[in-house]
Amino acid sequence: MEKVFENQSIYKSYFQLALPVVFSMVASMIYNLADTFFVSQTQNTDLIAGVSLCTPLFSLMLALGDIFGLGGSALISRLLGKKRYQESRQISSFCFYAAIAVGLATSLILLVFQRPILTMLGAFGSNYRYAADFYQIMSIGAVFIIVSLIPGNVLRTEGLAKETMIATVVGTAITIVLDPFLIIGLHLNAYGAAFSTVLGYLISDIIFIYYIIHRSKNISINKKEVKITSTGIKEVLLIGIPASITNLMQSFGTALINNSLKPYGTKAIAALGISLKIYLIVMLVMVGFAFGAQPLFGYNYGAGKFRKLFKIIRFDLIVVVISAMITAAMIALAAPLIVRTFIKDQTIIQESSTMLRILLTSTPLIGIILVFTTLFQSSGQALGAFAMSICRQGVILLIVLETFGKLFAYQGVIWSQPVADLLTCLIGSFFLSSFVKKIKNKTS
């Protein structure tokens, strides 16, 4: 661990930690595209729309896992920087078992309140049956998805990014292999898509647990080490809840846009579902680089190495923005061709290509927002982390969507997200300035 965080150059450590996360994100991206591709091959618009409407459900599960995954890893990074190793073991054990409890409770709640939740997500008419099929299997497997966020994040705090990548890639590969067999071969449609996803996460969880037991020195899932003070719980939740809200807001934002598109028909919702899946190509690359730096942010902040921390922040911003611009430009140029691989309906191809290109206009800003978010989480800046969590796809998007939707109708709806991204980036810049000033006052 000391080799990665203390003895190597910033650039080598950065890429050693970030690239495996990027590869993990690419694997997730391939899964998302493959899942959308195989669902779209049925040429059933209601099925495509039904599965797309359940995207917020998946985001909800990731959000709940982030409470303990990102909240725990942010605290553990700082503890490792301070050489407080036993506390890091206790925090990781607590986070693991807390996530299991939350996962089981989530399954129960989702199944009991299935109909009102699906209605809230925008399921209606002929797409409701497919949305319900997908929803049921995902609800049953919620614990496997939620729990995966804990070892997937905390292992990286020890520099075990490669091991995290292996677990993620293997689980994703199993999902991709099962998708065509279950969705098309056995005609299980939405059931097949959901089951392959849940099984892939279960396999990843098993591999994660193996690495914690056999490779990690300062991360634990031993029940006997679930000893945490009220202060420790508070520190996990102060960062974990804003991180969770970020994903909840993603669910909220997607549901908002889906409902805003309902007056324009099922094809508009299907087009948005496909464009968002393709858009993940850029998003996940940026997430990989931004969150790959999280252990470095937390470790150096905890160790009080602020000059090194600022260098990492600058380098991370450069890498994320450049990668976002290159990837976005490539996808924007090939948008109709990419969309056409998922669906043959010319109206959906045209609408989805337009939506995709509009979403891509703000990708460099999103990259900056992600670096801000990661930094505030890693350094325990709860207010900044909370602000980032509620703005982009929450409060700011709601205001912009309501305003632009009324002023510009359909065009206003699909331009709302880039405008919200710009405003959120400005808010993040304010909090970054305050953070830098705080550090300079501390070291002067």
Side-chain angles (χ1 to χ4, degrees):
M1 184 180 72
E2 284 75 13
K3 178 183 177 182
V4 176
F5 291 100
E6 295 186 0
N7 301 330
Q8 293 182 163
S9 69
I10 289 173
Y11 312 115
K12 186 173 182 180
S13 295
Y14 176 88
F15 285 114
Q16 185 174 334
L17 290 169
L19 285 178
V21 182
V22 173
F23 292 144
S24 297
M25 294 298 102
V26 169
S28 297
M29 171 194 74
I30 293 171
Y31 153 68
N32 277 285
L33 292 176
D35 187 59
T36 303
F37 174 79
F38 291 122
V39 170
S40 299
Q41 290 310 293
T42 64
Q43 301 301 309
N44 184 335
T45 303
D46 289 323
L47 171 59
I48 298 168
V51 172
S52 297
L53 287 168
C54 288
T55 299
L57 174 67
F58 185 66
S59 297
L60 169 66
M61 295 175 189
L62 296 180
L64 293 172
D66 279 342
I67 294 176
F68 305 102
L70 291 177
S73 65
L75 176 55
I76 290 168
S77 292
R78 299 196 300 276
L79 290 172
L80 293 177
K82 296 174 182 177
K83 315 297 183 187
R84 290 157 60 178
Y85 301 127
Q86 182 56 37
E87 287 180 64
S88 73
R89 293 180 63 84
Q90 293 170 349
I91 296 293
S92 57
S93 295
F94 163 76
C95 290
F96 182 78
Y97 290 104
I100 292 175
V102 169
L104 294 173
T106 301
S107 293
L108 179 62
I109 293 169
L110 288 174
L111 291 170
V112 170
F113 297 101
Q114 175 179 316
R115 182 166 291 276
I117 292 174
L118 281 172
T119 301
M120 181 182 67
L121 291 175
F124 67 100
S126 54
N127 67 42
Y128 183 91
R129 176 169 66 88
Y130 297 107
D133 290 346
F134 190 86
Y135 178 99
Q136 288 168 6
I137 301 300
M138 292 293 285
S139 298
I140 293 169
V143 66
F144 304 123
I145 297 171
I146 291 170
V147 168
S148 71
L149 273 294
I150 287 69
N153 280 290
V154 299
L155 279 169
R156 291 189 293 109
T157 63
E158 265 198 317
L160 299 174
K162 184 176 71 174
E163 286 76 4
T164 299
M165 177 192 70
I166 291 170
T168 302
V169 170
V170 171
T172 302
I174 289 170
T175 300
I176 293 172
V177 170
L178 286 176
D179 258 350
F181 176 69
L182 296 177
I183 296 171
I184 300 172
L186 296 182
H187 305 289
L188 293 178
N189 297 323
Y191 275 127
F195 182 77
S196 61
T197 298
V198 170
L199 185 59
Y201 271 96
L202 173 59
I203 299 301
S204 291
D205 289 342
I206 293 170
I207 299 172
F208 279 135
I209 290 170
Y210 171 84
Y211 282 134
I212 288 177
I213 294 172
H214 295 282
R215 299 285 179 88
S216 178
K217 294 181 180 178
N218 302 305
I219 304 300
S220 173
I221 55 171
N222 188 338
K223 288 182 181 179
K224 295 179 180 179
E225 294 191 275
V226 183
K227 299 174 182 177
I228 183 171
T229 63
S230 58
T231 302
I233 295 174
K234 181 181 177 181
E235 289 194 54
V236 169
L237 297 181
L238 275 175
I239 297 303
I241 290 176
S244 172
I245 292 173
T246 301
N247 261 321
L248 287 176
M249 288 297 103
Q250 182 177 332
S251 305
F252 179 67
T254 303
L256 272 179
I257 298 174
N258 276 329
N259 278 289
S260 297
L261 288 174
K262 280 173 69 174
Y264 305 101
T266 298
K267 286 190 176 183
I269 296 174
L272 177 66
I274 292 173
S275 63
L276 286 176
K277 291 284 187 177
I278 299 171
Y279 182 61
L280 277 175
I281 296 173
V282 185
M283 281 294 296
L284 292 177
V285 170
M286 290 190 295
V287 168
F289 280 118
F291 282 83
Q294 185 269 329
L296 287 172
F297 287 159
Y299 187 95
N300 285 284
Y301 183 84
K305 298 180 179 180
F306 301 122
R307 183 174 295 180
K308 186 176 181 181
L309 174 64
F310 290 144
K311 289 181 180 179
I312 297 167
I313 294 168
R314 284 193 293 269
F315 186 67
D316 195 22
L317 283 168
I318 291 169
V319 171
V320 169
V321 170
I322 291 175
S323 63
M325 292 174 66
I326 293 172
T327 313
M330 292 172 61
I331 294 173
L333 287 172
L337 181 63
I338 298 172
V339 173
R340 195 172 288 114
T341 62
F342 295 96
I343 194 75
K344 303 302 179 187
D345 187 301
Q346 192 58 42
T347 302
I348 295 179
I349 292 172
Q350 185 176 347
E351 287 191 37
S352 186
S353 299
T354 300
M355 289 179 183
L356 180 57
R357 284 170 170 161
I358 289 171
L359 287 169
L360 290 169
T361 59
S362 62
T363 47
L365 297 176
I366 298 171
I368 295 170
I369 292 167
L370 286 168
V371 175
F372 290 164
T373 302
T374 309
L375 173 64
F376 298 149
Q377 290 172 353
S378 304
S379 56
Q381 308 301 306
L383 184 58
F386 180 71
M388 291 293 95
S389 70
I390 65 170
C391 287
R392 179 178 174 259
Q393 292 191 299
V395 177
I396 299 298
L397 177 61
L398 177 60
I399 294 170
V400 174
L401 194 57
E402 285 294 313
T403 305
F404 275 47
K406 290 177 181 177
L407 291 175
F408 308 110
Y410 176 79
Q411 288 294 323
V413 172
I414 59 179
W415 272 102
S416 294
Q417 186 64 74
V419 174
D421 294 339
L422 173 61
L423 296 175
T424 303
C425 191
L426 294 174
I427 293 169
S429 298
F430 168 77
F431 280 100
L432 178 66
S433 177
S434 299
F435 173 76
V436 172
K437 192 177 297 183
K438 176 182 174 183
I439 295 299
K440 288 182 177 179
N441 290 337
K442 187 182 294 187
T443 54
S444 61

